[in-house]
Amino acid sequence: MRQTDPVSEAPTSDPVIRTSGLRKVFRSPGQRAVVAVDGLDLTVAAGTVHGFLGPNGSGKTTTIRLLLGLARPTAGSIELFGQRVPAHLSAVVDRLGATVEEPAFTPGFTGRRNLMLLARTAGLPRRRVDEVLEQVGLRRHDRRRFGRYSLGMKQRLALAAALLRSPDLLILDEPGNGLDPAGVRDLRELVRSLADGGTTVLLSSHNLAEVQQICDDVSILSGGRLLATGPVDALIGERLSRTRVRVGEPDRAAEVLRAAGYEVSHDADALLVGGHEHPEDVTRILAGHDLFVGELSAVRPDLESYFLQLTGHPMTGTDEDGGNR
């Protein structure tokens, strides 16, 4: 079920993205209709990094295409910066940047030349190309032909293109694909710096550990429906979840803790203890039975565990049918 207040917090200013009852149905001749997005109410506050999550085929990419005017909704409404989309997309398009599909770069041109052509079309100065190449870490490779770029370098160039107009809203669909760990770290730092500077970022990603580090809020979809939305810490819980205990007699320790009303399960040669507020309560009870703890560590909830519990699906791969749903 969708989670509501107090998990969800009202934005302090008008949202940059607002959808209401958004629905998209795909129909093919001779085939049954496929509901890709079903009654989606999405709100993204200004100046935040908003994670957009869901298992394969959940409707994330379809929603992003609807936001960008690349597809038309079957029902419902979309507002970007208070303007109805797609009817008034032209009024806000210059404030948008996005990486959502295979970039239409010319393979035989260098990365720099591809960006120069885009900048010239948009009436932007040459220095803006230098700035975005520096931002995404491609200055050393800007003279290489695009066709010889690795997947990670192509992702960086697509991000550079999205940043050319200094957008107020940046929509990123799996921007970390093909990036090595250093590239993922650079992306995280770039996105946070953009948000700190006032840019709103909608980030679709399968890397839940990164989402937990980088995002202020998240929305989780499954089957085209919104299951939960709100601040990351509020969704997964800030309080201690369980304590991992290593003790000399784990079986007897488990009996003692269960008798005290705690939830206990085995984790290899340790115990996972739940149902308590403070880890020291565990050590005190065990010590009272001459059981002395050799190791004690907090096991806190994470976004991946919450996601799996909520959807019943692991977060792997990309959307089905090429990411169009």
Side-chain angles (χ1 to χ4, degrees):
M1 295 179 62
R2 179 180 172 182
Q3 296 203 14
T4 55
D5 292 334
V7 170
S8 299
E9 294 182 354
T12 57
S13 60
D14 291 338
V16 170
I17 299 175
R18 190 204 307 269
T19 73
S20 178
L22 188 62
R23 181 177 173 86
K24 179 61 178 178
V25 181
F26 291 95
R27 292 184 174 85
S28 300
Q31 298 182 357
R32 66 180 180 86
V34 175
V35 180
V37 180
D38 191 6
L40 176 61
D41 296 333
L42 176 67
T43 301
V44 177
T48 62
V49 181
H50 194 107
F52 199 41
L53 312 176
N56 291 350
S58 62
K60 301 187 306 296
T61 298
T62 295
T63 301
I64 289 174
R65 289 175 55 82
L66 292 168
L67 293 176
L68 295 172
L70 300 174
R72 287 187 170 271
T74 304
S77 64
I78 304 169
E79 290 184 5
L80 301 181
F81 305 105
Q83 298 286 337
R84 291 291 292 264
V85 173
H88 302 290
L89 182 61
S90 60
V92 298
V93 68
D94 287 344
R95 303 178 67 183
L96 304 178
T99 63
V100 63
E101 295 182 330
E102 184 71 23
F105 294 125
T106 302
F109 290 174
T110 64
R112 171 176 289 276
R113 187 175 181 191
N114 272 290
L115 290 182
M116 288 296 298
L117 291 174
L118 292 175
R120 189 179 307 159
T121 301
L124 300 172
R126 180 186 298 267
R127 69 174 182 277
R128 186 60 190 145
V129 172
D130 294 327
E131 291 169 355
V132 296
L133 284 169
E134 186 68 36
Q135 275 186 290
V136 303
L138 274 182
R139 281 296 293 270
R140 292 190 298 112
H141 307 285
D142 63 338
R143 305 292 180 179
R144 184 181 301 183
R145 295 181 188 277
F146 177 75
R148 298 179 60 192
Y149 273 8
S150 66
L151 176 58
M153 293 169 67
K154 290 178 179 178
Q155 287 288 90
R156 289 173 183 264
L157 193 68
L159 180 56
L163 292 171
L164 274 173
R165 294 178 182 269
S166 301
D168 295 315
L169 171 60
L170 184 63
I171 299 178
L172 304 177
D173 191 13
E174 298 297 338
N177 280 355
L179 296 181
D180 59 18
V184 172
R185 181 200 61 219
D186 292 344
L187 175 66
R188 179 173 68 240
E189 293 175 352
L190 173 59
V191 169
R192 278 301 347 161
S193 68
L194 289 169
D196 291 343
T199 302
T200 303
V201 182
L202 180 67
L203 174 67
S204 171
S205 174
H206 282 85
N207 190 334
L208 296 184
E210 282 297 313
V211 168
Q212 188 168 343
Q213 290 186 63
I214 196 174
C215 291
D216 304 297
D217 308 286
V218 295
S219 293
I220 300 176
L221 275 67
S222 184
R225 290 181 173 271
L226 183 66
L227 298 185
T229 187
V232 175
D233 288 342
L235 287 176
I236 65 176
E238 295 179 326
R239 300 196 325 172
L240 177 69
S241 176
R242 291 177 296 172
T243 301
R244 191 171 192 270
V245 181
R246 196 183 300 275
V247 63
E249 300 178 61
D251 291 338
R252 187 162 76 90
E255 292 178 6
V256 168
L257 291 170
R258 289 191 181 108
Y262 295 138
E263 303 166 359
V264 184
S265 61
H266 288 268
D267 180 24
D269 58 346
L271 300 175
L272 289 177
V273 184
H276 60 283
E277 289 286 342
H278 306 289
E280 55 265 31
D281 295 340
V282 175
T283 60
R284 177 178 51 80
I285 291 173
L286 291 176
H289 291 78
D290 294 326
L291 291 164
F292 300 102
V293 172
E295 179 183 324
L296 189 76
S297 58
V299 180
R300 299 192 181 277
D302 58 53
L303 188 57
E304 186 168 3
S305 300
Y306 177 78
F307 180 91
L308 183 60
Q309 177 185 359
L310 190 66
T311 67
H313 298 281
M315 185 67 131
T316 57
T318 56
D319 277 356
E320 295 169 2
D321 63 23
N324 290 328
R325 299 284 168 88

